[in-house]
Amino acid sequence: MIKVTRLNAVTSWNRALNAARRTVGKSALKKEPSDSWKAKMLLAEHSPIRLVEYEWTWEQIPQWVTVHFVRHHIGCEKFVHTQRPDRTGSQIPRGEHLQGELNEMDMTANAQEIMAISRVRLCNCASKETREAWTAMLQELKKIDPVLVSKCVPTCVYRGFCPELKCCGYANTHQFHEAVEKYRKTE
């Protein structure tokens, strides 16, 4: 089972608040912004949200699932445990490792990229294992930033319709319409 064994805030929302205040000529404050302000900034995707960063570790993540997260490259960094025998001391030649082998992966991402990854990796068209890995991270993140997690939705909820070539049907359900309404709330 894929586990998130560590999740930390790298920066605080105060950093984003003060960057936003700078853009309108206001002085810095020594406080965290309100949840309503955070929600509005996240929905608007204003640039200061890129200053809010988190880091985490996945353990027991299949090697092929790490590939899905390595594909994300704007606003994040990824560090996957190497399979190179000259680095690990393993007796298994590099070319003989299986895609299903369990691995470890560290990742750091800003708030905007966490939302962007959610759009792709929470989609029902994503693999079950990838959705599980991302959902596990979001469950841990919710403990320290529930407002950000409330804006982490699949693309269909973000856009208000399903843009996939082969839709799973979720966009035609009552639950979908409730999810869109909940996503758009700022209070």
Side-chain angles (χ1 to χ4, degrees), residues 111-160:
Q112 187 166 25
E113 186 60 11
I114 289 170
M115 292 188 309
I117 294 169
S118 295
R119 292 176 196 141
V120 178
R121 303 307 172 192
L122 292 177
C123 176
N124 287 330
C125 293
S127 77
K128 176 182 171 277
E129 295 83 354
T130 302
R131 283 194 316 271
E132 286 173 0
W134 194 246
T135 299
M137 191 287 291
L138 291 175
Q139 288 172 344
E140 291 301 311
L141 181 58
K142 187 174 184 177
K143 296 173 185 176
I144 59 175
D145 197 338
V147 177
L148 172 55
V149 173
S150 75
K151 305 308 174 208
C152 292
V153 296
T155 297
C156 61
V157 173
Y158 172 73
R159 291 187 178 186

Side-chain angles (χ1 to χ4, degrees), residues 12 18 33-34 41 45 58 61 86-87 100 106 123 127 143 148 153 158 172-173:
S12 75
N18 288 327
S34 69
M41 290 295 285
E45 295 188 57
W58 277 300
I61 186 169
D86 62 322
R87 300 279 192 223
D106 291 343
C123 176
S127 77
K143 296 173 185 176
L148 172 55
V153 296
Y158 172 73
N172 300 320
T173 67

Side-chain angles (χ1 to χ4, degrees), residues 33-144:
S34 69
D35 286 351
S36 176
W37 185 88
K38 292 176 190 179
K40 289 173 185 174
M41 290 295 285
L42 291 165
L43 285 173
E45 295 188 57
H46 283 305
S47 58
I49 68 172
R50 294 193 300 261
L51 297 175
V52 178
E53 297 175 300
Y54 295 94
E55 62 183 3
W56 62 92
T57 298
W58 277 300
E59 290 186 4
Q60 299 180 14
I61 186 169
Q63 181 66 25
W64 66 270
V65 173
T66 68
V67 173
H68 294 166
F69 293 108
V70 169
R71 290 179 180 153
H72 296 278
H73 62 279
I74 299 171
C76 61
E77 291 294 337
K78 295 82 48 187
F79 303 94
V80 180
H81 184 263
T82 185
Q83 294 179 328
R84 288 177 52 179
D86 62 322
R87 300 279 192 223
T88 64
S90 171
Q91 300 303 307
I92 302 171
R94 188 175 184 181
E96 293 181 21
H97 282 280
L98 302 175
Q99 287 190 21
E101 287 182 30
L102 299 180
N103 206 342
E104 297 88 36
M105 178 178 182
D106 291 343
M107 193 162 173
T108 301
N110 67 42
Q112 187 166 25
E113 186 60 11
I114 289 170
M115 292 188 309
I117 294 169
S118 295
R119 292 176 196 141
V120 178
R121 303 307 172 192
L122 292 177
C123 176
N124 287 330
C125 293
S127 77
K128 176 182 171 277
E129 295 83 354
T130 302
R131 283 194 316 271
E132 286 173 0
W134 194 246
T135 299
M137 191 287 291
L138 291 175
Q139 288 172 344
E140 291 301 311
L141 181 58
K142 187 174 184 177
K143 296 173 185 176
I144 59 175

